[in-house]
Amino acid sequence: MQTTIDLATGSLAGEVTTSERRIADLAGFFADEAARAALPQDTIVYRVQMHDKEAEGTPGGLLFGTSFVYPGKVGDEYFMTKGHFHAKRDTAEYYFCISGRGALILMDEEGNCWAEKMERGTLHYIPRSVAHRLANTGEEVLAVGCCWGADCGHDYASIARTGFAKRLREVDGEPKLG
Amino acid sequence: MQTTIDLATGSLAGEVTTSERRIADLAGFFADEAARAALPQDTIVYRVQMHDKEAEGTPGGLLFGTSFVYPGKVGDEYFMTKGHFHAKRDTAEYYFCISGRGALILMDEEGNCWAEKMERGTLHYIPRSVAHRLANTGEEVLAVGCCWGADCGHDYASIARTGFAKRLREVDGEPKLG
């Protein structure tokens, strides 16, 4: 069966697997833990669809998926993904924004942290050894197409331990990284 | 400057380089060389836009581009790209069709040759060690987004020498691989 991507919404159909993260899964990731704990715990924060993982772990292979980050905030901090380094640090990734508005938050291994604005059509190269996280700053679902090496792996532990050096918050109605 | 991709047409803007192949550049690639020689030699057959090549050659890096194949035929054979294996054979590639209609023609190292139909939204995984070529079977430009490893390299010589095992021709008004 031919796998397809809806270029209006980012949705994949065909040979696809889906995973999701809810508020209950994200203890410790947001600055305001009390605000997180007070939200309905089954609220979906983000969802990832992946083209079938046949290639996973294969050197030279590639994987493709769409990340969907839902609109919302925990306190003044935008809904976001956990974020990760690649386990194999020297591996890059491509993102392109399909719908919604948001930010790609990046951090190198020295803790330098910056963000790139995302809206439909922005194309983003995530260099090697740079951690990455998506945040939704808009009112609609942020959908982002992603392509990465099948043997990159994911190191979530470093981020769970130290976090990103900056957070994306709504300040006076605008996203601010600080 | 933020690089962008127009998700209606595939056009990249920003830090982009472009290359093109004209009828004059494709001697020997089509079955009917006399028909090729008789066409206006400056007719563009295809064009490739690439996001800046900073990562080119870097292990673990990725490259992203859009291939545009124009509508047309040489005799009964559809306009197509030269096609290539990756020089580093064990490397994959992702394609997704953004506009137009066409085919992704694939051939493994044993010469087995097959094709996948392309139309807006089809997603294609090109496995390792598989040569690939695009052909436009429609009336509009075929635009295809591509992501591949920065150290894949391109082996055009094998295809220039042996060709693909099958050709995509119009037979009774329909594309036929044979």
Side-chain angles (χ1 to χ4, degrees):
Chain A
M1 183 184 183
Q2 181 62 57
T3 299
T4 58
I5 178 166
D6 182 326
L7 291 171
T9 65
S11 284
L12 303 184
E15 296 173 6
V16 170
T17 56
T18 302
S19 60
E20 59 189 27
R21 294 288 177 272
R22 294 168 187 261
I23 283 290
D25 302 318
L26 297 172
F29 280 91
F30 292 92
D32 189 341
E33 173 58 20
R36 189 203 63 81
L39 286 172
Q41 294 297 295
D42 63 350
T43 305
I44 296 177
V45 178
Y46 63 99
R47 202 160 55 83
V48 179
Q49 285 191 307
M50 277 181 62
H51 189 196
D52 73 273
K53 301 185 181 181
E54 201 179 315
E56 189 149 18
T58 310
L62 291 173
L63 298 170
F64 187 97
T66 306
S67 293
F68 303 89
V69 186
Y70 288 80
K73 291 201 291 290
V74 174
D76 59 4
E77 193 173 7
Y78 297 100
F79 274 14
M80 63 183 180
T81 62
K82 286 185 175 182
H84 57 264
F85 283 101
H86 290 158
K88 189 175 165 186
R89 282 290 191 276
D90 288 347
T91 54
E93 186 157 352
Y94 256 104
Y95 278 9
F96 60 99
C97 181
I98 300 168
S99 75
R101 300 184 78 85
L104 169 60
I105 305 172
L106 300 161
M107 182 175 72
D108 66 21
E109 292 196 281
E110 288 73 49
N112 299 302
C113 196
W114 67 102
E116 298 179 3
K117 280 179 82 165
M118 307 188 101
E119 59 186 8
R120 180 169 172 78
T122 56
L123 181 69
H124 305 264
Y125 186 62
I126 301 165
R128 310 186 308 163
S129 305
V130 171
H132 36 289
R133 155 181 286 175
L134 292 168
N136 185 335
T137 62
E139 309 290 319
E140 310 294 334
V141 175
L142 173 70
V144 178
C146 312
C147 189
W148 68 102
D151 64 342
C152 289
H154 293 89
D155 169 13
Y156 292 101
S158 300
I159 299 303
R161 198 165 52 242
T162 67
F164 274 63
K166 296 182 180 176
R167 292 180 176 278
L168 194 67
R169 292 183 161 104
E170 187 180 82
V171 179
D172 298 330
E174 294 292 329
K176 185 160 186 210
L177 189 73
Chain B
M1 181 184 183
Q2 180 62 56
T3 299
T4 57
I5 179 167
D6 182 325
L7 292 170
T9 65
S11 282
L12 303 184
E15 295 172 6
V16 171
T17 56
T18 302
S19 60
E20 59 189 26
R21 293 288 176 272
R22 295 171 186 260
I23 283 289
D25 302 318
L26 297 172
F29 280 90
F30 292 92
D32 189 341
E33 173 59 19
R36 189 204 63 81
L39 287 172
Q41 294 297 296
D42 62 350
T43 305
I44 297 177
V45 178
Y46 63 98
R47 202 161 55 83
V48 179
Q49 283 190 308
M50 277 181 62
H51 189 197
D52 72 274
K53 302 184 180 182
E54 201 180 316
E56 188 148 18
T58 311
L62 291 174
L63 298 170
F64 187 97
T66 305
S67 294
F68 303 89
V69 186
Y70 288 79
K73 291 201 290 290
V74 174
D76 58 3
E77 192 173 7
Y78 297 101
F79 274 15
M80 63 183 181
T81 63
K82 285 186 175 184
H84 58 263
F85 284 102
H86 290 157
K88 190 175 167 188
R89 282 290 190 278
D90 288 348
T91 54
E93 185 157 353
Y94 256 105
Y95 277 10
F96 60 100
C97 181
I98 300 168
S99 76
R101 301 183 77 84
L104 170 60
I105 305 171
L106 300 161
M107 182 175 71
D108 66 21
E109 293 196 279
E110 288 73 48
N112 299 302
C113 196
W114 67 102
E116 298 179 3
K117 280 178 83 167
M118 307 189 101
E119 58 187 7
R120 180 168 170 80
T122 55
L123 182 70
H124 306 263
Y125 185 63
I126 300 165
R128 310 187 307 163
S129 306
V130 172
H132 37 288
R133 155 180 287 174
L134 293 168
N136 185 335
T137 61
E139 309 289 320
E140 311 293 333
V141 175
L142 173 71
V144 178
C146 313
C147 188
W148 68 101
D151 64 341
C152 288
H154 293 90
D155 168 13
Y156 292 100
S158 300
I159 299 304
R161 200 164 50 240
T162 67
F164 274 63
K166 295 181 181 176
R167 292 179 176 278
L168 194 67
R169 291 183 162 105
E170 187 180 82
V171 179
D172 298 330
E174 293 293 328
K176 183 159 187 214
L177 189 73

